[in-house]
Amino acid sequence: MESTFSEALSQTNFTLIDWVIVGAYLSVSLVIGLLVKRFATNMTSYIGAGRALGTRLGVATLAGTETGLVTVMYSSQKGFTGGFAAFHIAVMAALGTFIIGATGLIVYRLRKLKVLTIPEYYEQRFGRKTRILGAVMLALGGILNMGMFLKVGSMFIVGITGMSATGWALPTVMTVLLILVLTYTVLGGMISVVVTDYIQFVVLSLGLLFATGLIIYHLGWQNIFDTVAIQMGEKGFNPVLAEGTFGIDYIIWMGFLGLIACAVWPAAVARALAMESPEAVKVQYMWSSVAYLIRFLIPYFWGIAAFVFIFTKAPELKLLFFPEVGGGEPIDNLYAMPIFLGRILPVGIIGVITAAMIAAFMSTHDSYLLCWSSVITQDIIVPISR
């Protein structure tokens, strides 16, 4: 099974040309991030970009932060296993973000108080001890949450480039990408993060749309819908079906999670706190609801397309991902989408799409690194050391 999986990984269109494209993109991102570091002249600039973000830049950086490669990977997995029924998660996320923007729930008040972090509000409301305790809990949870980001993101790169899934490849990719992100984030703070996020948002958006067009051209609309209907039946389209993948309880949970994720999750709230005014925060969130919808819909569709490709055009992959057909242990279905893209995207284009996915990886990691380091510094070390 291991040799079969290695062979499946090797059948990618990724070439040296694509490596050059990826390397060039990484170099440009790093240089730009370093060039703007001179604007981080004080703590407010470093953590909150001087509280001067306009609506367009605010929407781009919020969308870039929340459209991480880990989100793309797990969302494609949802599409791979749940079909079009997974689309309801995107709708709930967009609805929750729009409600937060329209009402200003939580984020409007936080920006009006001019705090740099959420635990700073805890001290204003409950005292210093609560600030420290809240910061410890947030930082611990956030850092543990980041633990899976590196591996899942590296799985995409390994899957689409054809590198070995074992040995040196995975940890090496994880280490190199993290060092790049860490360099410009540490030196430039939120200003470097916002500027690079904006570039990464543009690259990612173009990459997602272009790849989706190629997928539809390669597989065909009718084939995609027909295959899901045949292989999954009604559960591939109806999320409330009792015997389906999701169910009404799951939908309600997604609605609640959508509200919480954009209203109190520190990495997202950090963007609200960097906006130029409380009113701009509301506009930022209302427009970002569209980005939240798209950031789920497209990866779900990619996962669905990978499912269709395996069942209609790649019978050897069916034996790997669906062992009940041929026996043996299944391969992690997180690899399905990158392997699929590696086979259908042409040389050059696959390099651009990989660069776009690395943009998604970097835009999430720089934000999270800055967010949790700011919480540790501002809300744990400073209050304790006075």
Side-chain angles (χ1 to χ4, degrees):
M1 180 66 74
E2 188 64 38
S3 61
T4 306
F5 180 46
S6 298
E7 184 180 350
L9 286 174
S10 66
Q11 296 180 34
T12 176
N13 296 328
F14 203 94
T15 65
L16 180 60
I17 295 174
D18 301 296
W19 278 118
V20 172
I21 293 172
V22 171
Y25 171 76
L26 292 175
S27 300
V28 170
S29 295
L30 180 61
V31 169
I32 292 175
L34 295 178
L35 286 176
V36 300
K37 70 182 181 65
R38 67 181 185 274
F39 297 108
T41 55
N42 53 50
M43 191 58 74
T44 301
S45 298
Y46 189 86
I47 296 179
R51 299 194 184 99
L53 294 189
T55 301
R56 294 177 183 176
L57 195 55
V59 170
T61 187
L62 180 59
T65 297
E66 296 304 310
T67 311
L69 183 50
V70 65
T71 302
V72 173
M73 287 288 281
Y74 279 122
S75 295
S76 68
Q77 185 185 48
K78 286 288 186 184
F80 187 81
T81 58
F84 289 99
F87 279 14
H88 78 275
I89 304 174
V91 175
M92 300 306 291
L95 183 60
T97 308
F98 184 84
I99 291 174
I100 295 298
T103 63
L105 181 66
I106 300 176
V107 292
Y108 181 91
R109 179 64 176 168
L110 286 175
R111 175 59 186 86
K112 195 171 184 179
L113 290 172
K114 296 183 178 180
V115 296
L116 290 175
T117 62
I118 291 178
E120 188 177 339
Y121 166 74
Y122 295 162
E123 181 173 7
Q124 294 183 12
R125 184 70 173 83
F126 304 106
R128 178 170 295 177
K129 292 182 179 179
T130 303
R131 176 181 185 175
I132 296 172
L133 177 61
V136 169
M137 295 174 65
L138 284 175
L140 181 61
I143 292 170
L144 290 174
N145 180 246
M146 280 186 67
M148 65 179 179
F149 290 6
L150 280 170
K151 181 178 180 180
V152 174
S154 300
M155 287 172 68
F156 173 87
I157 297 172
V158 167
I160 200 169
T161 61
M163 290 189 295
S164 173
T166 59
W168 60 270
L170 199 63
T172 300
V173 170
M174 292 165 60
T175 303
V176 170
L177 289 177
L178 187 59
I179 289 174
L180 285 173
V181 176
L182 191 60
T183 299
Y184 70 75
T185 303
V186 168
L187 294 177
M190 180 64 85
I191 295 176
S192 290
V193 168
V194 167
V195 172
T196 52
D197 275 2
Y198 185 82
I199 298 169
Q200 289 153 11
F201 171 75
V202 173
V203 174
L204 177 61
S205 299
L206 294 175
L208 288 172
L209 293 173
F210 191 73
T212 302
L214 286 177
I215 288 170
I216 295 172
Y217 173 79
H218 188 84
L219 296 179
W221 271 117
Q222 196 61 47
N223 178 45
I224 293 173
F225 282 96
D226 288 347
T227 303
V228 172
I230 293 170
Q231 300 297 332
M232 296 187 181
E234 187 180 353
K235 70 177 184 180
F237 299 91
N238 185 359
V240 301
L241 199 66
E243 61 271 21
T245 307
F246 304 105
I248 190 65
D249 293 341
Y250 188 89
I251 296 174
I252 294 173
W253 167 244
M254 284 296 102
F256 174 75
L257 192 63
L259 287 170
I260 295 299
C262 60
V264 300
W265 185 236
V269 174
R271 267 61 189 163
L273 301 181
M275 293 297 287
E276 59 188 357
S277 69
E279 289 71 26
V281 173
K282 298 175 71 174
V283 178
Q284 175 196 31
Y285 270 72
M286 284 190 287
W287 277 108
S288 293
S289 64
V290 179
Y292 272 58
L293 178 67
I294 296 173
R295 78 170 178 133
F296 283 119
L297 284 181
I298 291 181
Y300 291 153
F301 181 73
W302 285 10
I304 295 168
F307 178 87
V308 172
F309 177 79
I310 289 172
F311 270 88
T312 60
K313 297 180 180 293
E316 74 281 6
L317 293 179
K318 189 187 301 184
L319 299 177
L320 290 174
F321 291 103
F322 300 94
E324 64 272 15
V325 177
E329 291 295 323
I331 297 300
D332 191 337
N333 54 22
L334 281 169
Y335 280 110
M337 182 268 289
I339 290 177
F340 159 65
L341 291 182
R343 294 194 179 190
I344 70 162
L345 298 179
V347 175
I349 299 301
I350 192 174
V352 174
I353 300 304
T354 302
M357 292 300 101
I358 291 176
F361 178 96
M362 295 172 70
S363 63
T364 298
H365 277 76
D366 58 18
S367 302
Y368 277 59
L369 286 169
L370 180 63
C371 175
W372 304 125
S373 61
S374 300
V375 168
I376 292 171
T377 303
Q378 287 286 96
D379 304 308
I380 299 176
I381 297 175
V382 171
I384 290 177
S385 62
R386 298 181 181 272

